[in-house]
Amino acid sequence: MFGASAQKASLTKAYNFYYDKSYAKAKEAIDLCTQDEKLSGKAQTWLYKGNICYFLANEEYGAKQKDENFQILHPDAPVEAYDAFAKSMEINPNAEAMDMFSAQDALKQLYPLLLVRGVDQLIAKDYEGAKTTLAKGIASYEMDKPQYPMNGDLYYYYAYTLEAMGDTKDLRQYYQKAIDDGSTMPYVYIRLAESYKKEQNKEMARKTLEQAKSKLPGNMGIAIAEIDYLYWSGDSAAAQNKVHSISPNQLKSADEFVNLANFYIKEKRYEEAVDLLDRANAMTPNDFVILYNLGVCHYSISEKLFNQYNQLA
């Protein structure tokens, strides 16, 4: 008898837990209400759930930000909040509750939490989940002038998810939206240029990289992407000039050293490539790609010296 009573759906119980900031318990209580035949038809039920999940998500993701070892127990709380607010709006857009956000106001504020959740899903290679979550984040972001600009992050990660899924229909639209939203990530421009290259659209790929150089002057990722474009478009002389104009002292990451080394390998200038790869190896020891490329270079140098020795003999 006690067990049955404890599981009875009660909006009052859910609200009291919410008011006490016991958001996990409030969620347990409100979930019972959303499963109740009568209460599930009330806008207030879904308004309660939206607010409870919103504050629960803020609490857990905030704790995670302070302590990386913190375990988030309700990772989908941001998505549940979005869906609950949308359901409340569908039933009654004017629903209100004491000390709670209205659904209309709350939906506009969810995008930072939806971005974090979507990126977590993307990292876990849950592409379908990431696509759904990030789409809701974009919808939230575009409802009004955002209080906290995302500088293209929502659009970039959504486009990246589409690309990972092989869904290229709207790919460029969202990379372009990321740029228009003020993105300073070189990969936005690089991925957009790559999408044009796949369609053999040299002019648009070139224009994208020119825009990137204008917005992000001196960025080595963009410089390396431009060299790759020049080789791809058949202008090897211009590509080689660009390669030789880059000083190793301009490079900051192991990836940049490896990418530049690859161009020297392409030119069969293995000694220069080894110098760059040695620097990359010092930054990220035991990386398979770096060690493999070093092996290729040293083999090619040895082979060259062996052939020279035989010619002298």
Side-chain angles (χ1 to χ4, degrees), residues 50-206:
N51 276 275
I52 288 166
C53 288
Y54 175 64
F55 281 96
L56 176 60
N58 266 315
E59 182 179 69
E60 291 197 332
Y61 280 95
K64 182 71 172 180
Q65 196 171 32
K66 294 176 182 177
D67 179 7
E68 63 179 18
N69 295 317
F70 179 83
Q71 294 297 312
I72 293 177
L73 300 179
H74 305 88
D76 283 319
V79 179
E80 291 189 67
Y82 182 96
D83 291 342
F85 285 128
K87 182 75 171 177
S88 179
M89 287 279 292
E90 180 186 320
I91 298 171
N92 178 5
N94 299 314
E96 295 180 345
M98 184 75 70
D99 295 323
M100 286 187 172
F101 287 114
S102 69
Q104 187 174 18
D105 288 342
L107 281 168
K108 300 173 187 177
Q109 301 180 47
L110 276 168
Y111 59 88
L113 287 167
L114 291 165
L115 171 62
V116 174
R117 176 56 180 150
V119 171
D120 283 346
Q121 290 170 303
L122 179 58
I123 292 170
K125 298 185 178 180
D126 176 10
Y127 299 127
E128 285 290 349
K131 180 182 177 182
T132 299
T133 301
L134 292 169
K136 289 174 180 178
I138 290 170
S140 169
Y141 190 61
E142 293 181 345
M143 284 179 183
D144 203 350
K145 183 179 180 180
Q147 186 177 2
Y148 307 104
M150 291 286 99
N151 298 320
D153 286 3
L154 267 165
Y155 299 116
Y156 169 72
Y157 287 112
Y158 185 71
Y160 188 92
T161 301
L162 293 179
E163 192 168 3
M165 296 174 71
D167 182 356
T168 59
K169 182 181 176 183
D170 299 317
L171 190 64
R172 285 202 294 268
Q173 172 189 345
Y174 286 98
Y175 278 133
Q176 188 59 55
K177 278 192 171 191
I179 291 171
D180 295 341
D181 194 43
S183 177
T184 57
M185 288 195 292
Y187 289 112
V188 173
Y189 296 91
I190 293 169
R191 298 315 307 161
L192 182 58
E194 284 297 317
S195 75
Y196 284 121
K197 284 167 64 179
K198 287 178 181 178
E199 293 186 358
Q200 301 298 310
N201 192 333
K202 293 183 181 180
E203 183 61 15
M204 286 306 299
R206 183 190 66 77

